[in-house]
Amino acid sequence: MVFKRLLGSLGVGGPTVDTVLAPGAARPGAALTGEVRLKGGTADFDIEHIALELVARVEAEHEGGEDEGVAAFDRFVVAGGFRLGEGEERTVPFSVPLPWETPVTELYGQGLGIVLGVRTELSVAGARDKGDLDRLAVAPLPAQEAILEALGQLGFGFRSADLEYGRIGGTGQRLPFYQEIELTPAPQYAHQVNEIELTFLAHPGGLEVVLEADKRGGLFSEGHDALTRFTVGHHDVRDWNTEVDGWIRELIGHRAAYGAHASYGHQGSEDHHHGGHRSGPGVGTAVAAGAAGLAVGVVGGMVAAEAVDEIGDFFEGDDEEGEEE
């Protein structure tokens, strides 16, 4: 999508900015390419810098419940130090690296409910305005896709996906949040677990796969969470169905009922124990449709409240000019 918005902080007659991303979904760790298109206003302007900021809708748990908000997770200055003449049109191409832990927003072209955006900041003669915001689509890495496909073939169904603010202890996590994909159990495991939660933590050398099981209680025991971690290479060739099924069996057999989070705890929010189920399609593969609307909240460590409203409008599709060209 292309969004054209007058830079409000510069007033009527200021320059306008379009950021156009290259077609298709990007991939974690790879280059995000596109171009920033500028059009001069009714006077000359000195462009101090053009910056791209990666933002995401995230959730944060706390004692009072859960909030949703927008977190910025990377920023790149792609140009600056030039004068934009009156009415001048200028195009600035860019190529910036996506973080390896950039969340996956789609699988086989179907959305997982994860909302990412690229926000453009234009600094002109001391005034700044985040005047353009574009939806960012990210496809999985080969190993991520293979694991999700194996889970689907094993009979696990997609329930929901979100971004949780906080850290998973004992991992190499770098971003201030992590992606969590919730799956309904395959029939052969339905009597043992309520759901499986999957997190990918990619890095240049490979992929950490964190699995958590919400285990059912027995006649004389309470249910609890078990958590374990596995490491794979980006281009590993394996019998993924057998491999992933082995992971699930190991996870379910894990007996560190209350000690699991001591090794791989969720830091920065409450311990991650879900008591209920989220509504969602119970499909036969780990694929979902459609992103949910954004309920904007302000969470500690996230972007300023005035920016949240702007991004919230965009993610909810309320921008009147948000039409494909």
Side-chain angles (χ1 to χ4, degrees):
M1 290 184 179
V2 178
F3 295 84
K4 296 180 178 178
R5 187 176 297 174
L6 185 68
L7 298 182
S9 64
L10 302 178
V12 177
T16 58
V17 58
D18 271 342
T19 297
V20 183
L21 302 180
R27 293 186 186 271
L32 174 67
T33 60
E35 58 186 31
V36 179
R37 300 172 182 173
L38 299 173
K39 184 174 183 180
T42 56
D44 294 350
F45 285 87
D46 290 322
I47 308 299
E48 295 181 347
H49 71 251
I50 303 171
L52 303 178
E53 192 171 50
L54 305 181
V55 295
R57 184 187 71 184
V58 301
E59 298 179 356
E61 295 182 1
H62 53 80
E63 292 183 0
E66 189 172 76
D67 285 330
E68 289 187 324
V70 175
F73 62 97
D74 214 337
R75 187 174 184 273
F76 309 93
V77 175
V78 296
F82 62 90
R83 171 162 289 193
L84 184 67
E86 177 183 352
E88 178 187 355
E89 296 185 5
R90 182 178 296 208
T91 297
V92 178
F94 63 83
S95 178
V96 298
L98 284 181
W100 281 95
E101 290 180 19
T102 299
V104 175
T105 67
E106 63 177 52
L107 180 62
Y108 303 130
Q110 297 187 34
L112 298 178
I114 299 299
V115 184
L116 303 181
V118 179
R119 184 172 55 188
T120 304
E121 176 186 284
L122 186 63
S123 179
V124 181
R128 295 184 182 181
D129 196 296
K130 298 174 174 61
D132 195 25
L133 189 62
D134 294 81
R135 188 71 165 265
L136 174 61
V138 180
L141 294 165
Q144 294 172 328
E145 184 175 305
I147 291 167
L148 290 169
E149 176 63 25
L151 285 163
Q153 291 186 11
L154 290 169
F156 290 85
F158 179 87
R159 173 167 285 151
S160 66
D162 56 27
L163 304 181
E164 295 283 345
Y165 191 76
R167 298 186 180 275
I168 303 176
T171 68
Q173 181 185 343
R174 294 182 177 274
L175 294 186
F177 55 82
Y178 55 92
Q179 182 173 14
E180 189 171 75
I181 300 171
E182 299 182 1
L183 305 170
T184 58
Q188 62 268 33
Y189 299 118
H191 65 290
Q192 295 173 286
V193 294
N194 292 315
E195 70 180 13
I196 298 291
E197 296 168 351
L198 167 67
T199 295
F200 293 121
L201 297 174
H203 54 85
L207 186 69
E208 288 183 86
V209 183
V210 182
L211 289 170
E212 184 173 6
D214 179 8
K215 301 178 70 174
R216 296 186 184 276
L219 182 61
F220 301 106
S221 64
E222 295 182 355
H224 60 268
D225 286 0
L227 188 149
T228 190
R229 181 184 64 174
F230 305 91
T231 302
V232 302
H234 286 303
H235 302 287
D236 284 2
V237 177
R238 308 187 185 190
D239 180 346
W240 286 108
N241 284 18
T242 300
E243 183 83 11
V244 172
D245 190 54
W247 294 350
I248 299 298
R249 292 178 184 275
E250 180 175 335
L251 173 66
I252 293 175
H254 187 53
R255 296 304 178 188
Y258 300 103
H261 287 282
S263 298
Y264 307 111
H266 299 268
Q267 302 169 359
S269 59
E270 290 186 341
D271 279 351
H272 200 66
H273 297 277
H274 296 300
H277 296 300
R278 299 184 181 183
S279 61
V283 296
T285 63
V287 179
L294 172 61
V296 178
V298 179
V299 182
M302 298 183 189
V303 296
E306 57 269 22
V308 171
D309 288 337
E310 172 193 315
I311 299 175
D313 289 343
F314 160 67
F315 283 157
E316 289 179 334
D318 290 340
D319 192 321
E320 294 180 358
E321 295 180 66
E323 298 177 358
E324 295 188 13
E325 295 191 348

